[in-house]
Amino acid sequence: MSKTFEIAVFHGDGIGPEIMAPTLDILRDLSPNYDFTFVDCPAGARSYLDMGSDLPETSLAAARKADAILLSALGDPAVRYPDGTEMTPQIDIRIALDLYAGVRPVRIVPGMRTPLNLPEGRSVDFVLVRESTEGLFHTQGKGHVEDDLAEETLRLTRATTTKVCDYSFRLARDRMAMGHRGRVTSVDKANVFRAFAFWREIFDEVAMGYDDLTADHAYVDAMALWFVLKPWEWDVMVTENMFGDILSDLGAGLMGGLGMAPSADIGDDHALFQPCHGSAPDIAGQGIANPFAMILSAGMMLDWLGRRHEMPAMVADAARLQAAVDACLAAGEVTGDLGGSLDCAGAGAAVKARL
């Protein structure tokens, strides 16, 4: 008998619904071993205009109840709060569900456009883990502003820092079983800020419980340089919220753009999966958006659900989905942003065909 999982689906704004459609189509027909019930959850700019809230309580409740959350691009720069700031319901969900580990994989595979000139024999396959609930985002929307002064507060707690570091070591151990090097690098600024010396101390404490893995440190400014000069050196990196926000976009740039950048936000009891890119309202409705980041995010969801529920077949399907996207890249079956001629629906169909 197949197992049914309830998925909270946020279709999003702009190109969000366009890239979600082929993703759900792939998931519906992926396997006879399991099935999905998709629960539509309004959120974002359109929800704000239609319902007066960018994250209605009913949507948050559905996300809390679901087995996993699949979230497309949310927001629209033209729709803002009265104070001029953009709405970020995806961050509100992270905080509400304590999704402390932001997982941002960076892979460069044959056929992928990259600004890098990779040396012969080098490959790039690392994961950046971003603490997603604290750091410099702690006072988001609550910063202190005067006529001649503005202040935001960076906050790190032992409990959350311990959890995100522990998650990173467990991830590195899982990757080592698949042939990766088993290395975890803490990215911080401990030479300047006491808060990051505190972070580093906790990282080292956690590392003591993983003597089969390599643990080391890097300063964030140096790591930005090394992302470009030697990205093949890294395995798993863990860092503070704002540093992770910046470095994850740099990682997407190595892959040729945000259209190839999936992500997950994972907590103890809940997990959310979404592309790293925005809603791109300038191309919305044209059917030309790249759906790969959304599809790959769904693949990360399959892997998480499969491991959580001890379903090896689902974990294997996550790998099959990744391989199907890789095959499309190698064959040039891609959208215009990657140098191809397919539209959004066509790219989704190409992935489905290779499954």
Side-chain angles (χ1 to χ4, degrees), residues 98-230:
D98 194 23
L99 307 180
Y100 55 81
V103 184
R104 311 292 191 264
V106 176
R107 298 172 64 251
I108 299 177
V109 301
M112 184 180 290
R113 280 189 167 188
T114 174
L116 296 175
N117 184 14
L118 288 175
E120 188 70 27
R122 296 292 191 182
S123 61
V124 177
D125 188 340
F126 64 81
V127 180
L128 179 70
V129 181
R130 165 192 177 187
E131 194 292 306
S132 291
T133 61
E134 298 182 342
L136 196 54
F137 281 72
H138 170 63
T139 51
Q140 181 192 11
K142 303 185 292 289
H144 176 69
V145 179
E146 301 177 7
D147 288 343
D148 301 308
L149 170 71
E151 292 179 332
E152 301 281 0
T153 301
L154 183 149
R155 175 175 175 166
L156 303 174
T157 66
R158 179 172 295 277
T160 298
T161 304
T162 299
K163 288 199 294 185
V164 75
C165 289
D166 186 69
Y167 175 87
S168 301
F169 279 98
R170 286 186 280 114
L171 175 62
R173 183 175 279 170
D174 289 343
R175 283 170 55 85
M176 188 166 65
M178 297 184 290
H180 294 278
R181 63 180 63 189
R183 177 185 184 185
V184 185
T185 304
S186 172
V187 182
D188 58 45
K189 196 64 177 171
N191 57 330
V192 176
F193 296 103
R194 293 179 64 188
F196 286 109
F198 172 79
W199 166 286
R200 183 175 288 206
E201 174 188 319
I202 295 170
F203 173 85
D204 289 342
E205 290 173 359
V206 175
M208 293 175 64
Y210 294 89
D211 56 7
D212 55 324
L213 303 176
T214 299
D216 55 15
H217 313 92
Y219 296 133
V220 64
D221 45 345
M223 184 56 76
L225 175 71
W226 294 333
F227 260 38
V228 177
L229 294 184
K230 51 179 184 180

Side-chain angles (χ1 to χ4, degrees), residues 15 42 56 76 79 92 96 128 161 163 174 202 225 239 244 276 290 301 306 326 331:
I15 63 170
D76 185 336
V79 181
D92 296 335
L128 179 70
T161 304
K163 288 199 294 185
D174 289 343
I202 295 170
L225 175 71
T239 192
C276 289
N290 179 354
M301 180 186 76
D326 290 352

Side-chain angles (χ1 to χ4, degrees), residues 214-258:
T214 299
D216 55 15
H217 313 92
Y219 296 133
V220 64
D221 45 345
M223 184 56 76
L225 175 71
W226 294 333
F227 260 38
V228 177
L229 294 184
K230 51 179 184 180
W232 52 84
E233 289 286 335
W234 313 107
D235 182 11
V236 174
M237 287 161 281
V238 59
T239 192
E240 176 270 341
N241 205 340
M242 179 61 82
F243 291 166
D245 188 28
I246 296 167
L247 287 177
S248 60
D249 272 22
L250 178 54
L254 303 184
M255 297 188 287
L258 289 167

